[in-house]
Tab-separated table of all heavy atoms in Angstrom:
chain	number	residue	atom	x	y	z
I	355	ALA	N	77.749	-79.809	-119.485
I	355	ALA	CA	77.324	-79.339	-118.166
I	355	ALA	C	76.470	-80.376	-117.454
I	355	ALA	O	76.542	-80.519	-116.231
I	355	ALA	CB	76.562	-78.030	-118.299
I	356	THR	N	75.690	-81.122	-118.225
I	356	THR	CA	74.810	-82.096	-117.578
I	356	THR	C	75.363	-83.516	-117.617
I	356	THR	O	74.899	-84.370	-116.874
I	356	THR	CB	73.432	-82.111	-118.266
I	356	THR	OG1	73.645	-82.239	-119.681
I	356	THR	CG2	72.659	-80.844	-117.957
I	357	THR	N	76.364	-83.784	-118.480
I	357	THR	CA	76.818	-85.179	-118.602
I	357	THR	C	78.199	-85.431	-118.007
I	357	THR	O	78.534	-86.573	-117.744
I	357	THR	CB	76.848	-85.614	-120.078
I	357	THR	OG1	77.640	-84.679	-120.792
I	357	THR	CG2	75.468	-85.701	-120.676
I	358	ALA	N	79.009	-84.401	-117.813
I	358	ALA	CA	80.360	-84.634	-117.322
I	358	ALA	C	80.366	-84.797	-115.804
I	358	ALA	O	79.561	-84.184	-115.097
I	358	ALA	CB	81.268	-83.473	-117.714
I	359	LEU	N	81.294	-85.658	-115.326
I	359	LEU	CA	81.509	-85.845	-113.888
I	359	LEU	C	80.233	-86.134	-113.119
I	359	LEU	O	80.000	-85.579	-112.045
I	359	LEU	CB	82.216	-84.607	-113.297
I	359	LEU	CG	83.661	-84.396	-113.759
I	359	LEU	CD1	84.223	-83.114	-113.180
I	359	LEU	CD2	84.537	-85.572	-113.365
I	360	GLN	N	79.390	-86.988	-113.687
I	360	GLN	CA	78.192	-87.410	-112.980
I	360	GLN	C	78.503	-88.663	-112.172
I	360	GLN	O	79.179	-89.565	-112.663
I	360	GLN	CB	77.067	-87.711	-113.984
I	360	GLN	CG	76.669	-86.521	-114.846
I	360	GLN	CD	76.078	-85.397	-114.022
I	360	GLN	OE1	75.162	-85.605	-113.247
I	360	GLN	NE2	76.644	-84.196	-114.163
I	361	GLY	N	77.995	-88.719	-110.959
I	361	GLY	CA	78.200	-89.899	-110.135
I	361	GLY	C	77.418	-91.089	-110.674
I	361	GLY	O	76.659	-90.950	-111.634
I	362	PRO	N	77.618	-92.261	-110.069
I	362	PRO	CA	76.919	-93.457	-110.539
I	362	PRO	C	75.404	-93.267	-110.540
I	362	PRO	O	74.852	-92.670	-109.625
I	362	PRO	CB	77.320	-94.515	-109.503
I	362	PRO	CG	78.616	-94.044	-108.973
I	362	PRO	CD	78.553	-92.551	-108.984
I	363	SER	N	74.767	-93.724	-111.608
I	363	SER	CA	73.315	-93.630	-111.716
I	363	SER	C	72.866	-94.778	-112.607
I	363	SER	O	73.691	-95.533	-113.109
I	363	SER	CB	72.929	-92.299	-112.359
I	363	SER	OG	73.420	-92.283	-113.691
I	364	TRP	N	71.567	-94.892	-112.849
I	364	TRP	CA	71.106	-95.997	-113.691
I	364	TRP	C	71.569	-95.838	-115.120
I	364	TRP	O	71.830	-96.816	-115.809
I	364	TRP	CB	69.586	-96.142	-113.627
I	364	TRP	CG	69.189	-96.837	-112.370
I	364	TRP	CD1	68.478	-96.312	-111.339
I	364	TRP	CD2	69.518	-98.175	-111.987
I	364	TRP	NE1	68.346	-97.235	-110.319
I	364	TRP	CE2	68.977	-98.388	-110.697
I	364	TRP	CE3	70.229	-99.224	-112.587
I	364	TRP	CZ2	69.109	-99.595	-110.004
I	364	TRP	CZ3	70.361	-100.431	-111.903
I	364	TRP	CH2	69.807	-100.605	-110.626
I	365	SER	N	71.688	-94.592	-115.593
I	365	SER	CA	72.120	-94.444	-116.988
I	365	SER	C	73.628	-94.644	-117.126
I	365	SER	O	74.107	-95.081	-118.168
I	365	SER	CB	71.696	-93.079	-117.527
I	365	SER	OG	72.118	-92.059	-116.649
I	366	HIS	N	74.387	-94.305	-116.073
I	366	HIS	CA	75.824	-94.579	-116.088
I	366	HIS	C	76.183	-95.252	-114.770
I	366	HIS	O	76.388	-94.581	-113.757
I	366	HIS	CB	76.628	-93.284	-116.255
I	366	HIS	CG	76.421	-92.626	-117.575
I	366	HIS	ND1	76.944	-93.124	-118.740
I	366	HIS	CD2	75.714	-91.520	-117.916
I	366	HIS	CE1	76.588	-92.347	-119.740
I	366	HIS	NE2	75.830	-91.367	-119.284
I	367	LEU	N	76.262	-96.576	-114.810
I	367	LEU	CA	76.400	-97.362	-113.580
I	367	LEU	C	77.574	-96.914	-112.718
I	367	LEU	O	77.476	-96.856	-111.500
I	367	LEU	CB	76.585	-98.840	-113.929
I	367	LEU	CG	75.303	-99.602	-114.252
I	367	LEU	CD1	75.627	-101.045	-114.608
I	367	LEU	CD2	74.332	-99.516	-113.075
I	368	LEU	N	78.711	-96.609	-113.367
I	368	LEU	CA	79.901	-96.219	-112.607
I	368	LEU	C	80.233	-94.745	-112.818
I	368	LEU	O	81.359	-94.314	-112.637
I	368	LEU	CB	81.097	-97.100	-112.985
I	368	LEU	CG	80.882	-98.613	-112.885
I	368	LEU	CD1	82.158	-99.356	-113.207
I	368	LEU	CD2	80.388	-99.017	-111.506
I	369	GLY	N	79.252	-93.972	-113.256
I	369	GLY	CA	79.462	-92.537	-113.412
I	369	GLY	C	80.096	-92.165	-114.748
I	369	GLY	O	80.330	-93.014	-115.608
I	370	THR	N	80.382	-90.870	-114.890
I	370	THR	CA	81.021	-90.384	-116.123
I	370	THR	C	82.256	-89.572	-115.767
I	370	THR	O	82.387	-89.083	-114.645
I	370	THR	CB	80.082	-89.462	-116.927
I	370	THR	OG1	79.758	-88.329	-116.118
I	370	THR	CG2	78.817	-90.181	-117.347
I	371	ASP	N	83.166	-89.445	-116.748
I	371	ASP	CA	84.396	-88.686	-116.473
I	371	ASP	C	84.251	-87.226	-116.902
I	371	ASP	O	83.149	-86.765	-117.231
I	371	ASP	CB	85.610	-89.370	-117.106
I	371	ASP	CG	85.595	-89.318	-118.622
I	371	ASP	OD1	84.671	-88.694	-119.178
I	371	ASP	OD2	86.489	-89.899	-119.250
I	372	GLU	N	85.379	-86.520	-116.925
I	372	GLU	CA	85.306	-85.060	-117.105
I	372	GLU	C	84.810	-84.644	-118.473
I	372	GLU	O	84.418	-83.491	-118.659
I	372	GLU	CB	86.672	-84.431	-116.791
I	372	GLU	CG	87.791	-84.736	-117.791
I	372	GLU	CD	88.440	-86.101	-117.581
I	372	GLU	OE1	87.902	-86.901	-116.789
I	372	GLU	OE2	89.471	-86.373	-118.229
I	373	ILE	N	84.835	-85.542	-119.465
I	373	ILE	CA	84.256	-85.150	-120.753
I	373	ILE	C	83.066	-86.044	-121.102
I	373	ILE	O	82.755	-86.278	-122.263
I	373	ILE	CB	85.305	-85.140	-121.892
I	373	ILE	CG1	86.123	-86.425	-121.884
I	373	ILE	CG2	86.210	-83.936	-121.805
I	373	ILE	CD1	87.068	-86.541	-123.066
I	374	GLY	N	82.416	-86.521	-120.061
I	374	GLY	CA	81.135	-87.194	-120.238
I	374	GLY	C	81.200	-88.628	-120.724
I	374	GLY	O	80.187	-89.196	-121.127
I	375	ARG	N	82.397	-89.239	-120.701
I	375	ARG	CA	82.473	-90.630	-121.137
I	375	ARG	C	82.043	-91.559	-119.996
I	375	ARG	O	82.288	-91.252	-118.826
I	375	ARG	CB	83.897	-90.957	-121.602
I	375	ARG	CG	84.282	-90.204	-122.860
I	375	ARG	CD	85.727	-90.415	-123.213
I	375	ARG	NE	86.635	-89.937	-122.158
I	375	ARG	CZ	87.945	-89.780	-122.341
I	375	ARG	NH1	88.488	-90.070	-123.496
I	375	ARG	NH2	88.700	-89.349	-121.350
I	376	ASP	N	81.466	-92.685	-120.375
I	376	ASP	CA	80.952	-93.633	-119.401
I	376	ASP	C	82.118	-94.411	-118.764
I	376	ASP	O	82.872	-95.091	-119.454
I	376	ASP	CB	79.995	-94.593	-120.129
I	376	ASP	CG	79.419	-95.626	-119.186
I	376	ASP	OD1	78.973	-95.241	-118.101
I	376	ASP	OD2	79.442	-96.819	-119.546
I	377	VAL	N	82.276	-94.297	-117.447
I	377	VAL	CA	83.418	-94.913	-116.769
I	377	VAL	C	83.386	-96.439	-116.899
I	377	VAL	O	84.414	-97.080	-117.129
I	377	VAL	CB	83.468	-94.490	-115.282
I	377	VAL	CG1	84.521	-95.286	-114.519
I	377	VAL	CG2	83.771	-93.009	-115.171
I	378	PHE	N	82.191	-97.017	-116.795
I	378	PHE	CA	82.064	-98.470	-116.930
I	378	PHE	C	82.605	-98.941	-118.288
I	378	PHE	O	83.394	-99.887	-118.368
I	378	PHE	CB	80.587	-98.855	-116.759
I	378	PHE	CG	80.325	-100.330	-116.832
I	378	PHE	CD1	81.135	-101.235	-116.148
I	378	PHE	CD2	79.257	-100.823	-117.586
I	378	PHE	CE1	80.877	-102.603	-116.207
I	378	PHE	CE2	79.005	-102.184	-117.652
I	378	PHE	CZ	79.815	-103.069	-116.961
Side-chain angles (χ1 to χ4, degrees):
Chain I
T356 50
T357 54
L359 292 177
Q360 300 296 308
S363 65
W364 282 114
S365 52
H366 294 287
L367 279 179
L368 306 183
T370 61
D371 68 3
E372 69 279 10
I373 48 174
R375 293 174 299 193
D376 180 47
V377 171
F378 182 45

